[in-house]
Every structure is written in structure tokens, then in C-alpha cells.
Amino acid sequence: MFNYKYLLQVFCFGIILVVQKTMQNTTLCTFPPGFKFGTATSAYQIEGAWNVSGKTPSIWDFATHNNFESIIDRSNGDIACDSYNQIDVDIANLQLLNVSFYRFSISWTRLLPNAGNNFINPDGVRYYNEVIDKLIAHNIDPMVTIFHWDLPQSLQDLGGWTNKLTIEYYLQFARTCFSLFGDRVKTWITFNEISMYCVSAYDKKSLAPFASLSGIGTYLCAHYMLLAHGRAYRIYKKDFIHQKGIVGLSIDSPWYFPATNTANDKMAAMRAIITGFDWLAHPIFSQTGDYPLFMRKRIDYNSKQQGFKESRLPRFTTKEKAILQGSADFLGLNHYTSKLASMPMSEKASEMTSYEIDRSFDISFDPKWPKSARNHFKVVPQGLRKLLLYIRDTYNNPIVYITENGYAGDHSEYIDDHDRVSYTNLYLTEILKAIVIDKCNVTKYTSWSFMDNFEWHDGYTLRFGMFHVDFNDPKRKRTPKKSMYAYRNIIRFGTLPRCLSFEKSI
Ligand SMILES: *[C@@H]1O[C@H](CO)[C@@H](O)[C@H](O)[C@H]1NC(C)=O
Ligand SMILES: *[C@@H]1O[C@H](CO)[C@@H](O)[C@H](O)[C@H]1NC(C)=O
Ligand SMILES: *[C@@H]1O[C@H](CO)[C@@H](O)[C@H](O)[C@H]1NC(C)=O
């Protein structure tokens, strides 16, 4: 006997399935309304014009001229992308990319050649006014990083970020930026990658100021930068609140997967996150404030064992804790890759610097992870979703802007950058899953980078740009790469390509 009712039920159920499937596809392809896409650079990496119109040297000018063997190709940012002279070309290219915001940084020594604000360099004011005005005229919101590593060399001569006085100079700089540009700049990033700066400068000696005192300088540097961040935030909220902008900072972190399922490796991975990401996020975003208790206890203990009278990890006063707690309107996240963490091999312990002893884990990589031109940057998109989940659960789902994410090509890369296209699609897919499925509060995405530029100690050997830059051409000709067109389509339609195939991997 033919059962119509049954057939109808099956039919309806089928339709529901199809509709559900389609809806899921759409939500997992399409970014929520209001989600914004942008791209990023920093002053030293693109501007050039290192010695014009009153600008004084930063630690990067100094390092590349005096310590040039620490730069892989012995290059420097004297000219870089020549962006100082090419505002109009840059703006036209940003328009071509169709981004809704552009993240760039202000060169401290171009604006304040004496480090302090006793003399404001008119040419610095002119240059940044021109950039900001032209961005706004083309409907691109400026997102400004105040400190992106190019500390005045004069302050480095006084100890740089290990000297508490640098905080006061930084606050003069930040206040000057707010008052000169805050009528038009509504999103401020106080610091770029405190951990990368302090660890690379004081522990690994791989970035300027190429200093020493591992495990001491490292923590002092980050401590004073954190305090400077907190106080800059409070200054904005007290004296510049009428400008109606928001202030945050960009924290860099990979994700760490345990190398195996053993308890030891799981703990190693947790240690890596706590002593890397939470070190800087916890004082600002946690309910309790201060450094993570685990880190406090561990470094106090290690310091004692090593014969130090006081902990190598400085302490915040009660008042300082309060200044820092809640001192960000958003969490900027710079994320490129993931690593495997495992229990360290005991025989290696003696070779470790103090900071590494404090963290205590070995790093490795899953051979299945695709490579990039930077050795330790593998393509591991699922790690970003894990990190976003961790942030959601640890810090009560704060607003997160991805302020950097991108793929390293090598110096020979030209415009066929398929790997960057695929990297961007894969990472954006994981961000979309984090938003739609995990309800993470991610509202902006920033690709690193707008164009190839001076990649710090890798010089011009790595390319991160969506525009190719010909560094042999005096004009530094820019040419759009495949990734520029691919990213532009994502921005235009707010939608990822090839959505259906992504379904399977959820
Ligand atoms: C600026 O630096 C360039 C090298 O990049 C040099 O040729 C030029 O003479 C310098 N100009 C001044 C005013 O020092
Ligand atoms: C992006 O493209 C759209 C459509 O072509 C255009 O209306 C809009 O002005 C562009 N935005 C920017 C910032 O160029
Ligand atoms: C996102 O963050 C804002 C500001 O902190 C908060 O009001 C909102 O509830 C958060 N959204 C979610 C889904 O938690």
C-alpha cells in the first residue's frame, strides 16, 4: 500500500535538510554585516626617508647602519617602499584593494625628533596629516599604531624600554598623536607586539636593540611597555574622550598544540600559552588583573633558585594593577602560525636562557603542516580558531580585532602567490567558524601586509605583501599579486570562495 503521509514526511524532512544545509553554507561563507576588512604596514618597514626634514634616527636606523651583520641581507629601511614620497600611489592601491581601514604606524622620530614633545616636527605633522586626510577622503578609516618598534635611538642610549623614564617619553608621544590626529583617527593601537619586541631584543637578540640580559631585560621591557599602555589608555579616556575613539593594543601569539597526548606535553603547551600570550593579556583583560599567578610563582621560584634576591618578574603596585585592568577597548591579535610544544629534554636545560627556562618547553612542527618561506611559520589555520576559543573562554569574550595575519613568500616571489591566496582563505574560514559556531567576538580582520616591505632582520628576503614591490626599481614599482584580487573579492562580497568544500572539514 502506498503511504502518502510517509512520503510527504520524507519529502518535507528532505526540504528541511536542504534548507538547513544551505543556511549553514551561507552563514559559513558570509561574514556578518559590519565585519570589516583592512590591511597593515608599519612606518620603518615602508616609509624610507630616514634622514629627511628633521627626522632623527630610530633604533632601526641605528641597528641597520651600525650592526648590519645582524640583518640577513645587510639591507636597511633607508628607502624601503619609499612610502614617504608615494602617498598617492599607496592610497590608490588601498582603494584598489577596497579595504575599509588601513593600519599604519607613526614614526616617533619623524614627529618628535628629540623624543620628547618640546619640538614637534612640522614635516612629521604634514606627512601624517596628508596620509590621514587622503585615507578619509577615500573612505578608508585610519587605524594607527603609536609604537611599532622604532624607538628613538636617543632613548635607547638611556636604556630604552628597560628604563622606566621611557614611559614618560612615550606618554608625551601618545598624547601628541591624540591631540594632533585624534579628530580624525578613531582607532588607536598603543603598542605592536610587546612580546616579540622584548623577547627578540633581550632574549634572542634577533631584533633591535639587540640587547642582552635574558630573562631580566625581557620582563622589564614588557613591564614598562604594559604600564605605558595602561597610562596612555587612561590619558585618552580622561583628556580625549570627546574624540569618541577606541584604544587597544596588538598582542602577538601563535597557538601551541601539545606534541603528544601525554600530560607532560599538554602542560608544556599550557605553559607556552600562559608565559607567552597571557603574560601580556592577563594584566589587561582578566577579572583579577596582574600577571598570571602561574607565571608569578614560577619566575619567583626560578629566580630564588638562581640566587636572585628579587624575582626577575617585576611587580605591579595595586594602583598600577588598577590602571592596567580593563585598559583596552579591543584585543588586537597578531597571529601567523602554530607550534607543537613538548616537555623539554633535560640535557638541553643548561643551554637555555632564563626566559626559556621560565617557559620550559621544546618546539617542534607537524611535518604535515604546509611550509612558508619563514622557517617557523607553518600553515595551521585550525590553530587560530583554538586561540580565539581560548581568548573567549579565558577573558570573557572580549572584542577581538585580528590586527595581523599573513603568509611569507620568499624574495623571488612575484605575482603568482597562490599559497598566500590559499592561506588567506583557510585562515578566514577558521575565523568565520569562530564567529558563527563558537560565537567569538571577532569584528575586524587585517592582512599583513599591504605590500612587500623591509621585514626586520630578514631584510628583503621575505615577502608578505598583496602588492609586489620591486626593490631594484628606484621608483619601487608596486604590482598587484593574485592575492590582492582574491582578497578584494572577499572584501567586496563579504563572502569566501569555494564555500561548499569547506563544509566537510568542520
Ligand atoms: C640621507 O641618507 C642617504 C643614504 O640613505 C645619504 O645619501 C644622504 O646624504 C643623507 N642625507 C642627509 C641630509 O644626511
Ligand atoms: C569599494 O568598492 C565599492 C564598489 O566598487 C565602492 O563603492 C567603494 O567606494 C570602494 N571602497 C573603497 C574604500 O575604495
Ligand atoms: C562582544 O563584546 C561586547 C563588548 O565587550 C559585549 O557587549 C558583547 O556581549 C560581546 N558579544 C558576545 C557574543 O559575547
Side-chain angles (χ1 to χ4, degrees), residues 317-367:
T317 64
T318 310
K319 194 174 156 220
E320 288 170 343
K321 271 182 225 169
I323 287 171
L324 273 164
Q325 217 181 336
S327 65
D329 301 317
F330 60 88
L331 191 163
L333 181 65
N334 290 6
H335 176 87
Y336 290 87
T337 191
S338 294
K339 302 173 185 200
L340 298 177
S342 54
M343 183 79 171
M345 311 272 265
S346 53
E347 66 265 29
K348 267 170 78 179
S350 61
E351 296 167 19
M352 283 180 165
T353 62
S354 298
Y355 175 68
E356 281 172 346
I357 290 174
D358 295 337
R359 302 190 84 191
S360 182
F361 60 89
D362 279 351
I363 288 174
S364 58
F365 300 96
D366 186 330

Side-chain angles (χ1 to χ4, degrees), residues 366-427:
D366 186 330
K368 290 198 290 292
W369 291 344
K371 297 177 174 46
S372 76
R374 174 167 278 167
N375 228 350
H376 53 280
F377 277 15
K378 313 294 180 196
V379 183
V380 199
Q382 64 275 24
L384 175 52
R385 185 175 173 194
K386 293 270 189 201
L387 179 54
L388 290 171
L389 258 176
Y390 180 81
I391 292 172
R392 183 196 76 178
D393 294 342
T394 314
Y395 298 115
N396 196 26
N397 209 9
I399 292 179
V400 173
Y401 297 167
I402 309 287
T403 41
E404 280 183 29
N405 174 248
Y407 179 84
D410 71 17
H411 75 282
S412 67
E413 178 189 281
Y414 187 43
I415 55 176
D416 287 325
D417 59 342
H418 304 282
D419 291 338
R420 185 168 297 105
V421 172
S422 130
Y423 178 99
T424 309
N425 282 334
L426 291 169
Y427 273 78

Side-chain angles (χ1 to χ4, degrees), residues 307-323:
F308 290 95
K309 286 227 169 62
E310 282 180 44
S311 179
R312 289 181 282 103
L313 184 67
R315 282 169 207 283
F316 295 116
T317 64
T318 310
K319 194 174 156 220
E320 288 170 343
K321 271 182 225 169
I323 287 171

